[in-house]
Amino acid sequence: QHALNSGVRRYHVAPVLCQRAKVAMSHFEPNEYINYEKLEKNINIVRKRLDRPLTLSEKIVYGHLDDPAKQEIERGKTYLRLRPDRVAMQDATAQMAMLQFISSGLPKVAVPSTIHCDHLIEAQSGGEKDLRRAKDINQEVYNFLATAGAKYGVGFWKPGSGIIHQIILENYSYPGVMLIGTDSHTPNGGGLGGICIGVGGADAVDVMAGIPWELKCPKVIGVKLTGQLSGWTSPKDVILKVAGILTVKGGTGAIIEYHGPGVDSISCTGMATICNMGAEIGATTSIFPYNARMKKYLGKTGRADIAALADEFKQHLVPDSGCQYDQVIEINLSELKPHINGPFTPDLAHPVSDIGAVAEKEGWPVDIRVGLIGSCTNSSYEDMGRSAAVAKQALAHGLKCKSKFTITPGSEQIRATIERDGYAKILREVGGLVLANACGPCIGQWDRKDIKKGEKNTIVTSYNRNFTGRNDANPETHAFVTSPEIVTALSIAGTLKFNPETDYLTGADGKKFKLEAPDADELPKLEFDPGQDTYQYPPKDGSGQHVDVSPTSQRLQLLEPFDKWDGKDLEDMLILIKVKGKCTTDHISAAGPWLKFRGHLDNISNNLLIGAINIENGKANSVRNALTQEFGPVPDTARYYKKMGVKWAVIGDENYGEGSSREHAALEPRHLGGRVIITKSFARIHETNLKKQGLLPLTFADPADYNKIHPVDKLSIVGLKDFAPGKPLKCIIKHPNGSQETIMLNHTFNESQIEWFQAGSALNRMKELQQKSS
């Protein structure tokens, strides 16, 4: 590089750079190469323009700008036009993403893309039986995704392959990559130094179509790590602590960038755990700088050539000295204690040593009914090894788990390797049930039999989310999130009142003993066992491939374009529901049994807002029909309004739409006649999803105006003819007694997003532009 800059010996340097450019992004795509030279070129252009040191996040984000020389850049304000390297989709969201891509009329994806079958496998009896059952029940959907992938050039990971984020870490993420995925925990890839961002399916379609992808220029929150992890403290405790500090919306609009000397004490998969759960604080994504732990992981997963290339360009894969963050948090890992967060929200943080007393004080059940380890957040080889180390100690004293105990391997490679190395055997012997390589109970795919719905109980998991009803659809399940080794220890003790750092267990011989802090290899001593081959390569030419969607299918439905804006203000809209309190995408579009309808917009719309609490009566799925004055389910009321040709709005509280990236939470209200969502604030992904589908996500200029709107009012949004970036809109509230008042509403639309609204959706606008160009 020095030689290039000084103009010396170019003849000798050029072949080296040419050789560098020929490192494949993945061995599954040998002809798609890492382009660090373009990243470097863009970074240099932007650094010269901004004339300041850059954070790592800025380097990778700005390194993927469509036009680095002219792009306006202001953290937290301007919208960036970006060129991501690749796209990944899980099967629940891939259905709608591929249906939208089919609707676009394009022949093939423009960037490397993959589909991962992990969401539709229900945990019931154990891995093999559950997988066979899922393949049978979901055959139509799997066939659609496999054939669509073959036709449009998308790689297909079959059911049983594993969880999307673990597979990405093992095969696709690398330092400096920009990857977007149709799942909110896509930031998992930040553990390998990539900018990996969760999006809705419509955003994925933009990238697959070769259109620059828009993202509001993120702020950067720095988390400086000092000291080093030891004992019972794990990487999970870092993000549990950060969640407690920032809360579920404290990272909104920002990238969380970890740095400092403490980073090197964390394994690569541990860094991925921390980045993964950054979704729970609303962060755009999270990232760690490239280091020796990442290099070691790349080598062990068959990508030593990528590590060697990353070494050459390392200056662009770490932050500049003297770079400035918008906020800095400092955590001393040597002082950090094991944490457990919950219940009902992932940011309610407690040290494990305190949780028993807090639970008794709050009236939370202290007896643990089920402990569950695994998930996309914590299912690495190291995680399984540390859990097995705890279980082995219990077995040595004649103990098994007092609570039910389940294990979810993150991938087929992890499953095969822990079977070979004996971890799975130990976990079974202590009472564990090994589930399929899939999301399972983490996303509500759990046929739970040990309790009745409405029964108050406690579970502990190594998952990432614990919203009400998230895991088992029971609103009385108190779910707590912690590390796999703490889950294992608590499951053996059977109670939240057990602190493994200080408390003793009684062995089968009646003698007391204390569990030692677990120790396990971060990577297997032997090579990983890849297990079964579960990948389907797309053919070189898929033009002859047929993709079948039956018109009578109850699970798949081709899309019809949404109606265009009629050029008028939205007048006299009814209020479908005024939501009270937390309203996640789980509340707006429930998962669990509804996952089977993710490819059928009309059928899945029957779950619209059924989990949201109506402020008028304090109930879920019970709203007043303003035309009949009768109370009924939310979807039925919305369908009635649509049938009568009446537009409607939703009024929401803080951080509306937090949680999953599922764009069905935006598609459903649009499909059933909704036009406006007005809230105190939005979660990033959901706000973008709403814009993509032609809805108006608006926020109160004065949050107190939330109290001025009542469920029986009518609303008019005026000023749409002059709709412009940064210009507030007026809302006229018409009360039943004939009185009116006007409030101001803010929005974050830019010019192209306003065009999405006017065209009816971003997809409609894409097709308009294609028609003009052709």
Side-chain angles (χ1 to χ4, degrees), residues 656-668:
Y656 184 88
E658 72 172 277
S660 170
S661 69
R662 68 192 64 151
E663 65 182 336
H664 297 77
L667 283 158
E668 292 173 33

Side-chain angles (χ1 to χ4, degrees), residues 1 242 274 453 745:
Q1 186 58 49
V242 171
I274 294 168
K453 191 169 183 178
L745 301 174

Side-chain angles (χ1 to χ4, degrees), residues 577 579 581 583-585 588 609 650-658 665 677-684 686-687 690:
I577 183 173
V579 177
C583 189
T584 71
T585 47
I588 304 167
L609 286 157
V650 170
I651 310 300
D653 212 316
E654 293 275 8
N655 206 30
Y656 184 88
E658 72 172 277
I677 313 292
I678 306 172
T679 72
K680 293 179 183 178
S681 63
F682 286 98
R684 173 190 64 86
H686 186 59
E687 182 180 18
L690 291 167

Side-chain angles (χ1 to χ4, degrees), residues 263-543:
V263 166
D264 291 336
S265 76
I266 305 173
S267 67
C268 178
T269 52
M271 289 187 267
T273 290
I274 294 168
C275 292
N276 176 294
M277 203 176 152
E280 273 36 84
I281 54 177
T284 301
T285 191
S286 301
I287 190 170
F288 279 82
Y290 176 61
N291 67 0
R293 306 299 280 267
M294 295 183 191
K295 181 176 182 176
K296 185 177 181 181
Y297 183 80
L298 285 167
K300 204 65 170 179
T301 51
R303 294 174 288 171
D305 53 345
I306 293 179
L309 187 65
D311 285 342
E312 295 291 333
F313 286 86
K314 186 174 180 179
Q315 61 175 317
H316 304 302
L317 306 174
V318 296
D320 287 342
S321 177
C323 66
Q324 296 297 307
Y325 297 100
D326 295 283
Q327 178 183 350
V328 177
I329 297 167
E330 186 164 338
I331 297 175
N332 185 338
L333 300 179
S334 299
E335 297 175 355
L336 183 64
K337 290 294 185 179
H339 273 61
I340 183 168
N341 288 21
F344 305 124
T345 184
D347 59 347
L348 186 57
H350 321 272
V352 171
S353 57
D354 296 347
I355 189 62
V358 173
E360 287 190 320
K361 179 182 176 182
E362 297 293 336
W364 303 331
V366 296
D367 291 337
I368 298 168
R369 297 296 290 269
V370 190
L372 307 99
I373 66 169
S375 82
C376 64
T377 315
N378 277 111
S379 57
S380 68
Y381 184 82
E382 180 182 34
D383 288 327
M384 295 298 165
R386 284 173 68 89
S387 293
V390 175
K392 192 174 182 179
Q393 295 179 60
L395 290 169
H397 288 84
L399 295 187
K400 291 191 175 185
C401 291
K402 288 186 178 178
S403 310
K404 290 182 180 295
F405 185 50
T406 70
I407 302 98
T408 305
S411 68
E412 170 61 8
Q413 178 166 276
I414 293 295
R415 182 208 63 78
T417 307
I418 66 171
E419 289 286 359
R420 180 196 70 193
D421 293 353
Y423 291 166
K425 182 175 184 290
I426 293 169
L427 295 171
R428 286 192 187 96
E429 287 177 351
V430 85
L433 174 67
V434 179
L435 301 173
N437 314 322
C439 299
C442 184
I443 59 161
Q445 284 284 52
W446 185 14
D447 185 20
R448 189 177 180 189
K449 301 291 190 184
D450 64 301
I451 61 159
K452 295 179 180 179
K453 191 169 183 178
E455 183 180 343
K456 196 173 179 180
N457 75 103
T458 283
I459 64 173
V460 292
T461 81
S462 69
Y463 302 164
N464 41 52
R465 291 202 173 123
N466 57 351
F467 302 141
T468 302
R470 165 83 177 182
N471 303 120
D472 60 3
N474 179 13
E476 290 300 323
T477 292
H478 293 55
F480 295 86
V481 178
T482 185
S483 68
E485 52 265 48
I486 293 293
V487 172
T488 307
L490 293 179
S491 299
I492 292 164
T495 175
L496 287 177
K497 296 168 71 175
F498 178 70
N499 177 10
E501 288 191 301
T502 59
D503 295 346
Y504 287 79
L505 294 168
T506 302
D509 59 3
K511 295 180 180 179
K512 293 186 177 296
F513 72 97
K514 193 156 77 79
L515 294 170
E516 298 295 326
D519 186 31
D521 294 330
E522 64 179 284
L523 295 165
K525 289 184 172 64
L526 303 174
E527 297 305 308
F528 276 109
D529 183 339
Q532 299 179 42
D533 182 6
T534 54
Y535 180 71
Q536 172 185 293
Y537 288 86
K540 290 184 178 180
D541 181 8
S543 58

Side-chain angles (χ1 to χ4, degrees), residues 212-229:
W213 173 60
E214 291 191 354
L215 175 73
K216 181 178 276 190
C217 188
K219 294 183 178 182
V220 187
I221 298 173
V223 179
K224 184 178 180 180
L225 302 178
T226 60
Q228 60 181 9
L229 292 174

Side-chain angles (χ1 to χ4, degrees), residues 710-714 733-740:
H710 304 287
V712 293
D713 294 336
K714 291 184 178 181
I733 307 169
K734 298 180 181 180
H735 301 300
N737 62 9
S739 64
Q740 297 185 12

